[in-house]
Amino acid sequence: MDSYKLLITGGIPLTGETYVSGGKNTSVAVIPAALLSDDPCTIDNLPDIEDVRVLVDILRALGADVSFDGAARRMRIDPRPVSSYQVPYKQSQRMRASYYLIGALLGRCSHAEVGYPGGCAIGNRPMDQHLKAFRALGAEVEDKGGMIYAHGKMMGGDVFFDKITVGGTINAMLAAAKAEGTTILFNAAKEPHIVDLANFLNSMGAKVKGAGTDTIRITGQKHLHGSNYTVIPDQIETGTLMIAAAATRGDVTIHGCIPTHMEALTAKLLEMGVQVTEMDDAIRVRTVRGHRAVNIKTQEYPGFPTDLQQPMSALLTRANGDSIVIETIFESRFKHLMEMRRMGARVQILDQTAIIEGVTELYGAPVTATDLRAGAALVVAGLMAKGTTEIYEPGFIERGYEHIEEKLRALGAVISRAPVGDHDAR
Ligand code: EPZ
């Protein structure tokens, strides 16, 4: 139980200029990739968030020399002193992306012993496709006692993913970058952070082609050298800020983003009647009229991102009419809707489909975040609601949004922290 809760007094339109931080899901893939280098790497624009700080601990425990300046958002990783290939469960369970250490350690030293990952409870989230990829590249893999044991010299091979998986694609790229021979990944994920990882690997001398398409070809290299790299901005934070601006009927410009990464959300907001203006590296979101109800179906990139389904469903509670949300990626990603019922939201959930009735008002209430993006959805709902919302377990939000309270406060939000005591509602 977190020792503090967030307090949000809603009903205030967000206005002004803000900026987006470096991408969480790209950073947690690029940082482990530095283990593949023969010499130090410097990575810039990293968000100062819990998931990045957990990776610093894990790399240091492996023996790497890591310095991270959160304020400067710069990390220097010298993998040369790495002497271990073991990541115990108490470390790996602190985040989802710890499983990238399997691919990175297999690529670095043909051996990895890594505990099961943690991460958001949004579904079953098996790793069968990751293990399939490692085996296709020559690893012996055993899944025993909550640990993954993998070893074997990485040899190029073909991997056909039975389903599109971001994590599986990234792990296969990490294991294949230094393999002997060529690897082809078929039915690969196409997210922006897959392309960012490929660009980082290529800046180290790797030969990765086709990232961003469903077929990625990797010609293994014996040695990879150090690199100075800057990760891309966070697609999901950009989208969350866009949704918050629309939800509060405000006028916000988000700087440092990549508008082409936002196309699925932008199209939906325009369909709702929200004004979205794209600039080279900024997006302005304004509302000048009521919002039409729309239907959302989450898809792999470039479809509507599952990570934005939750904040978007908060916005839809105030649309004119009923909206239908279909979550096709994860089995259990509607918990935030059950919490928003406490705020007056009217939703029906039928398996992977939610029907969200547009209501005239949400009211502040005590609610609990159950995962990272559910927390983001509750923040958006709190910004919309009349009165004050208390959000318990806000630590989830910290995992993926850098300085989100300060950013929202700078846009006019009334948001603060308060200690959680025995008298509290949750
Ligand atoms: C990544 O999770 C992201 N996490 C998630 O973001 C994001 O929602 C997801 O990709 C989809 O875009 C990180 O990058 C750290 P998947 P990942 O493998 O890699 C199934 C956030 O909020 N599957 O693409 O775990 C899986 O169960 C987080 O930032 C298998 O069946 O997602 C899911 O149903 C939440 N077998 C679907 O595929 C496997 O071996 C997509 O999962 C792997 C996945």
Side-chain angles (χ1 to χ4, degrees), residues 337-351:
L337 291 174
M338 300 167 200
E339 288 299 303
M340 289 199 297
R341 280 185 178 137
R342 305 163 63 87
M343 303 172 72
R346 300 183 52 180
V347 301
Q348 294 173 59
I349 299 170
L350 317 153
D351 297 331

PDB file of all heavy atoms in Angstrom, residues 337-351:
ATOM      1  N   LEU A 337     -12.435   1.056 -15.266  1.00  0.00           N
ATOM      2  CA  LEU A 337     -13.847   1.406 -15.483  1.00  0.00           C
ATOM      3  C   LEU A 337     -14.667   1.088 -14.239  1.00  0.00           C
ATOM      4  O   LEU A 337     -15.575   1.836 -13.863  1.00  0.00           O
ATOM      5  CB  LEU A 337     -14.401   0.643 -16.690  1.00  0.00           C
ATOM      6  CG  LEU A 337     -13.834   1.068 -18.046  1.00  0.00           C
ATOM      7  CD1 LEU A 337     -14.340   0.150 -19.149  1.00  0.00           C
ATOM      8  CD2 LEU A 337     -14.216   2.514 -18.356  1.00  0.00           C
ATOM      9  N   MET A 338     -14.286   0.004 -13.549  1.00  0.00           N
ATOM     10  CA  MET A 338     -15.021  -0.356 -12.329  1.00  0.00           C
ATOM     11  C   MET A 338     -14.783   0.726 -11.279  1.00  0.00           C
ATOM     12  O   MET A 338     -15.673   1.117 -10.546  1.00  0.00           O
ATOM     13  CB  MET A 338     -14.560  -1.719 -11.834  1.00  0.00           C
ATOM     14  CG  MET A 338     -14.800  -2.810 -12.877  1.00  0.00           C
ATOM     15  SD  MET A 338     -13.901  -4.304 -12.423  1.00  0.00           S
ATOM     16  CE  MET A 338     -13.822  -5.149 -14.011  1.00  0.00           C
ATOM     17  N   GLU A 339     -13.572   1.264 -11.240  1.00  0.00           N
ATOM     18  CA  GLU A 339     -13.273   2.344 -10.287  1.00  0.00           C
ATOM     19  C   GLU A 339     -14.014   3.621 -10.695  1.00  0.00           C
ATOM     20  O   GLU A 339     -14.545   4.342  -9.846  1.00  0.00           O
ATOM     21  CB  GLU A 339     -11.762   2.627 -10.244  1.00  0.00           C
ATOM     22  CG  GLU A 339     -10.948   1.552  -9.560  1.00  0.00           C
ATOM     23  CD  GLU A 339     -11.336   1.367  -8.095  1.00  0.00           C
ATOM     24  OE1 GLU A 339     -11.277   2.350  -7.335  1.00  0.00           O
ATOM     25  OE2 GLU A 339     -11.738   0.244  -7.724  1.00  0.00           O
ATOM     26  N   MET A 340     -14.118   3.881 -11.999  1.00  0.00           N
ATOM     27  CA  MET A 340     -14.770   5.128 -12.433  1.00  0.00           C
ATOM     28  C   MET A 340     -16.272   5.104 -12.195  1.00  0.00           C
ATOM     29  O   MET A 340     -16.925   6.151 -12.151  1.00  0.00           O
ATOM     30  CB  MET A 340     -14.441   5.406 -13.904  1.00  0.00           C
ATOM     31  CG  MET A 340     -12.979   5.812 -14.088  1.00  0.00           C
ATOM     32  SD  MET A 340     -12.648   6.655 -15.633  1.00  0.00           S
ATOM     33  CE  MET A 340     -13.041   5.411 -16.797  1.00  0.00           C
ATOM     34  N   ARG A 341     -16.840   3.905 -12.014  1.00  0.00           N
ATOM     35  CA  ARG A 341     -18.268   3.832 -11.659  1.00  0.00           C
ATOM     36  C   ARG A 341     -18.495   4.598 -10.355  1.00  0.00           C
ATOM     37  O   ARG A 341     -19.539   5.202 -10.152  1.00  0.00           O
ATOM     38  CB  ARG A 341     -18.686   2.375 -11.474  1.00  0.00           C
ATOM     39  CG  ARG A 341     -18.949   1.624 -12.763  1.00  0.00           C
ATOM     40  CD  ARG A 341     -19.465   0.231 -12.472  1.00  0.00           C
ATOM     41  NE  ARG A 341     -19.779  -0.513 -13.691  1.00  0.00           N
ATOM     42  CZ  ARG A 341     -19.461  -1.802 -13.876  1.00  0.00           C
ATOM     43  NH1 ARG A 341     -18.813  -2.468 -12.912  1.00  0.00           N
ATOM     44  NH2 ARG A 341     -19.777  -2.430 -14.992  1.00  0.00           N
ATOM     45  N   ARG A 342     -17.506   4.584  -9.486  1.00  0.00           N
ATOM     46  CA  ARG A 342     -17.638   5.265  -8.183  1.00  0.00           C
ATOM     47  C   ARG A 342     -17.738   6.779  -8.382  1.00  0.00           C
ATOM     48  O   ARG A 342     -18.159   7.512  -7.506  1.00  0.00           O
ATOM     49  CB  ARG A 342     -16.446   4.945  -7.279  1.00  0.00           C
ATOM     50  CG  ARG A 342     -16.195   3.459  -7.057  1.00  0.00           C
ATOM     51  CD  ARG A 342     -14.799   3.224  -6.527  1.00  0.00           C
ATOM     52  NE  ARG A 342     -14.638   3.854  -5.226  1.00  0.00           N
ATOM     53  CZ  ARG A 342     -14.962   3.258  -4.072  1.00  0.00           C
ATOM     54  NH1 ARG A 342     -15.453   2.033  -4.078  1.00  0.00           N
ATOM     55  NH2 ARG A 342     -14.818   3.875  -2.929  1.00  0.00           N
ATOM     56  N   MET A 343     -17.333   7.228  -9.610  1.00  0.00           N
ATOM     57  CA  MET A 343     -17.338   8.674  -9.901  1.00  0.00           C
ATOM     58  C   MET A 343     -18.549   9.057 -10.739  1.00  0.00           C
ATOM     59  O   MET A 343     -18.653  10.193 -11.210  1.00  0.00           O
ATOM     60  CB  MET A 343     -16.050   9.056 -10.638  1.00  0.00           C
ATOM     61  CG  MET A 343     -14.780   8.698  -9.877  1.00  0.00           C
ATOM     62  SD  MET A 343     -13.279   8.949 -10.869  1.00  0.00           S
ATOM     63  CE  MET A 343     -13.217  10.744 -10.910  1.00  0.00           C
ATOM     64  N   GLY A 344     -19.425   8.066 -10.947  1.00  0.00           N
ATOM     65  CA  GLY A 344     -20.639   8.350 -11.719  1.00  0.00           C
ATOM     66  C   GLY A 344     -20.587   7.874 -13.143  1.00  0.00           C
ATOM     67  O   GLY A 344     -21.535   8.078 -13.918  1.00  0.00           O
ATOM     68  N   ALA A 345     -19.479   7.230 -13.537  1.00  0.00           N
ATOM     69  CA  ALA A 345     -19.422   6.717 -14.913  1.00  0.00           C
ATOM     70  C   ALA A 345     -20.429   5.584 -15.052  1.00  0.00           C
ATOM     71  O   ALA A 345     -20.683   4.833 -14.106  1.00  0.00           O
ATOM     72  CB  ALA A 345     -18.024   6.210 -15.220  1.00  0.00           C
ATOM     73  N   ARG A 346     -21.027   5.491 -16.245  1.00  0.00           N
ATOM     74  CA  ARG A 346     -22.006   4.411 -16.494  1.00  0.00           C
ATOM     75  C   ARG A 346     -21.472   3.531 -17.602  1.00  0.00           C
ATOM     76  O   ARG A 346     -21.390   3.956 -18.758  1.00  0.00           O
ATOM     77  CB  ARG A 346     -23.352   5.025 -16.843  1.00  0.00           C
ATOM     78  CG  ARG A 346     -23.805   5.886 -15.660  1.00  0.00           C
ATOM     79  CD  ARG A 346     -25.090   6.520 -15.735  1.00  0.00           C
ATOM     80  NE  ARG A 346     -26.181   5.609 -16.058  1.00  0.00           N
ATOM     81  CZ  ARG A 346     -27.430   6.076 -16.167  1.00  0.00           C
ATOM     82  NH1 ARG A 346     -27.643   7.364 -15.976  1.00  0.00           N
ATOM     83  NH2 ARG A 346     -28.426   5.279 -16.472  1.00  0.00           N
ATOM     84  N   VAL A 347     -20.984   2.352 -17.191  1.00  0.00           N
ATOM     85  CA  VAL A 347     -20.330   1.450 -18.147  1.00  0.00           C
ATOM     86  C   VAL A 347     -20.890   0.052 -17.990  1.00  0.00           C
ATOM     87  O   VAL A 347     -21.316  -0.352 -16.920  1.00  0.00           O
ATOM     88  CB  VAL A 347     -18.799   1.420 -17.921  1.00  0.00           C
ATOM     89  CG1 VAL A 347     -18.211   2.798 -18.069  1.00  0.00           C
ATOM     90  CG2 VAL A 347     -18.475   0.878 -16.540  1.00  0.00           C
ATOM     91  N   GLN A 348     -20.920  -0.672 -19.098  1.00  0.00           N
ATOM     92  CA  GLN A 348     -21.229  -2.107 -19.076  1.00  0.00           C
ATOM     93  C   GLN A 348     -20.023  -2.821 -19.665  1.00  0.00           C
ATOM     94  O   GLN A 348     -19.479  -2.360 -20.672  1.00  0.00           O
ATOM     95  CB  GLN A 348     -22.438  -2.421 -19.950  1.00  0.00           C
ATOM     96  CG  GLN A 348     -23.760  -1.838 -19.479  1.00  0.00           C
ATOM     97  CD  GLN A 348     -24.835  -2.085 -20.534  1.00  0.00           C
ATOM     98  OE1 GLN A 348     -25.108  -3.247 -20.872  1.00  0.00           O
ATOM     99  NE2 GLN A 348     -25.374  -1.006 -21.078  1.00  0.00           N
ATOM    100  N   ILE A 349     -19.606  -3.913 -19.022  1.00  0.00           N
ATOM    101  CA  ILE A 349     -18.446  -4.661 -19.519  1.00  0.00           C
ATOM    102  C   ILE A 349     -18.892  -6.060 -19.889  1.00  0.00           C
ATOM    103  O   ILE A 349     -19.487  -6.767 -19.069  1.00  0.00           O
ATOM    104  CB  ILE A 349     -17.344  -4.708 -18.432  1.00  0.00           C
ATOM    105  CG1 ILE A 349     -16.882  -3.280 -18.100  1.00  0.00           C
ATOM    106  CG2 ILE A 349     -16.156  -5.550 -18.918  1.00  0.00           C
ATOM    107  CD1 ILE A 349     -15.992  -3.183 -16.891  1.00  0.00           C
ATOM    108  N   LEU A 350     -18.636  -6.423 -21.122  1.00  0.00           N
ATOM    109  CA  LEU A 350     -19.011  -7.765 -21.616  1.00  0.00           C
ATOM    110  C   LEU A 350     -17.754  -8.363 -22.233  1.00  0.00           C
ATOM    111  O   LEU A 350     -17.390  -8.016 -23.365  1.00  0.00           O
ATOM    112  CB  LEU A 350     -20.109  -7.634 -22.671  1.00  0.00           C
ATOM    113  CG  LEU A 350     -21.241  -6.625 -22.344  1.00  0.00           C
ATOM    114  CD1 LEU A 350     -21.864  -6.091 -23.628  1.00  0.00           C
ATOM    115  CD2 LEU A 350     -22.267  -7.268 -21.457  1.00  0.00           C
ATOM    116  N   ASP A 351     -17.042  -9.203 -21.449  1.00  0.00           N
ATOM    117  CA  ASP A 351     -15.761  -9.808 -21.911  1.00  0.00           C
ATOM    118  C   ASP A 351     -14.779  -8.718 -22.339  1.00  0.00           C
ATOM    119  O   ASP A 351     -14.420  -7.880 -21.541  1.00  0.00           O
ATOM    120  CB  ASP A 351     -16.017 -10.791 -23.075  1.00  0.00           C
ATOM    121  CG  ASP A 351     -16.886 -11.966 -22.608  1.00  0.00           C
ATOM    122  OD1 ASP A 351     -16.806 -12.305 -21.412  1.00  0.00           O
ATOM    123  OD2 ASP A 351     -17.676 -12.489 -23.410  1.00  0.00           O
TER     124      ASP A 351
END
